[in-house]
Amino acid sequence: MNNVLLIDDDVELVGMFAEYLEQEGFPVTCVHNGEDGARAALAGSYAIAVLDVMMPGAGGIEALRQIRAGSRMPVLMLTARGDDADRILGLELGADDYVAKPCTPRELTARVRAILRRTQAVPESGPGVVLSVGKLTMLPEQRRATWDGQHLDLTSTEFNLLEVLARHAGRPVSKNDLSEQGLGRPLARFDRNIDVHLSSLRHKLGPLSDGRSCLQTIYRQGYQLIKD
């Protein structure tokens, strides 16, 4: 299932994006306001939602809140170039990635494809494999994770990044490798995406026995999942 939900009040732009996505094999549904977009995302069967932040009425941030209250479907934000505040807020609320406008239909489609490639990928280690690091347990095939036996409510990107760190537990993983393996794209200059997602994961994962976070920043090397 590769159905894409496009939520943007710019009818002409959405039409252009939809035409290109459909040529690339992605069925598209278009909605032109945040309230109806959130309702469609929660009621329909979509592989991903592409959500514009700047819309009149119930804007993209409020629509994202509503979507995340009832669904873990991947969400790709469309943000104004240089608008870091909305971008970071969206990531903190659970968006998976963003594209800065103006962008080309080709760039948007590539980003959609990268997200779906990660969320729909067959686990590298095969079916039934369990990743266990201290109190963390991950079931990649089922895309489920627990901490000390308690379910972790993770977005698709948070799960991807945590899986990469779990597979390299005890060793630092660079931000570029995390972006390549967790987001499916190279790390862009001044991109804070990884930092925001890892900050969210720190809040969701419990502490180690000594009270430290299990996710540590390693100076000039990246991030490391600590083995306890």
Side-chain angles (χ1 to χ4, degrees):
M1 182 192 73
N2 287 318
N3 294 345
V4 176
L5 176 64
L6 280 178
I7 309 171
D8 193 321
D9 64 316
D10 189 331
V11 176
E12 183 177 352
L13 181 66
V14 166
M16 181 175 64
F17 285 157
E19 182 179 0
Y20 191 93
L21 282 162
E22 288 174 344
Q23 288 175 355
E24 294 295 309
F26 295 97
V28 176
T29 298
C30 301
V31 180
H32 301 298
N33 65 76
E35 185 176 346
D36 290 343
R39 188 180 300 114
L42 295 171
S45 298
Y46 300 101
I48 187 172
V50 178
L51 174 63
D52 183 37
V53 170
M54 297 299 294
M55 288 184 289
I61 294 298
E62 178 57 32
L64 178 59
R65 284 195 179 98
Q66 294 178 26
I67 292 170
R68 278 291 168 260
S71 174
R72 308 319 297 172
M73 70 182 295
V75 175
L76 174 65
M77 295 193 311
L78 292 172
T79 68
R81 192 172 300 277
D83 195 350
D84 292 337
D86 279 342
R87 187 174 301 163
I88 292 172
L89 178 57
L91 293 173
E92 290 175 341
L93 290 173
D96 291 271
D97 204 352
Y98 63 84
V99 176
K101 295 169 70 173
C103 64
T104 65
R106 182 177 182 180
E107 180 183 3
L108 177 71
T109 302
R111 197 64 61 85
V112 166
R113 186 174 281 116
I115 293 173
L116 294 182
R117 187 183 304 120
R118 292 300 305 169
T119 58
Q120 299 174 356
V122 176
E124 297 175 4
S125 302
V129 170
V130 176
L131 296 176
S132 184
V133 181
K135 297 179 181 180
L136 174 67
T137 300
M138 302 190 75
L139 291 80
E141 183 184 24
Q142 301 176 30
R143 295 188 67 80
R144 292 179 55 242
T146 62
W147 179 271
D148 201 18
Q150 299 298 310
H151 172 70
L152 289 172
D153 188 16
L154 305 177
T155 67
S156 61
T157 295
E158 288 170 353
F159 189 96
N160 294 343
L161 294 171
L162 187 56
E163 182 182 354
V164 173
L165 290 165
R167 292 184 184 277
H168 297 83
R171 293 173 288 163
V173 182
S174 71
K175 288 175 64 173
N176 189 67
D177 285 344
L178 282 169
S179 187
E180 289 273 11
Q181 298 176 44
L183 303 182
R185 62 176 176 84
L187 184 70
R189 192 180 184 188
F190 306 122
D191 190 344
R192 296 187 59 193
N193 206 328
I194 298 295
D195 304 296
V196 176
H197 286 305
L198 269 291
S199 176
S200 177
L201 279 171
R202 281 196 179 100
H203 285 91
K204 293 182 179 183
L205 299 173
L208 298 173
S209 56
D210 60 6
R212 292 180 301 155
S213 169
C214 64
L215 285 177
Q216 294 291 315
T217 302
I218 309 300
Y219 182 61
R220 291 187 175 179
Q221 296 185 59
Y223 290 95
Q224 178 176 328
L225 181 64
I226 304 297
K227 290 183 177 181
D228 190 15

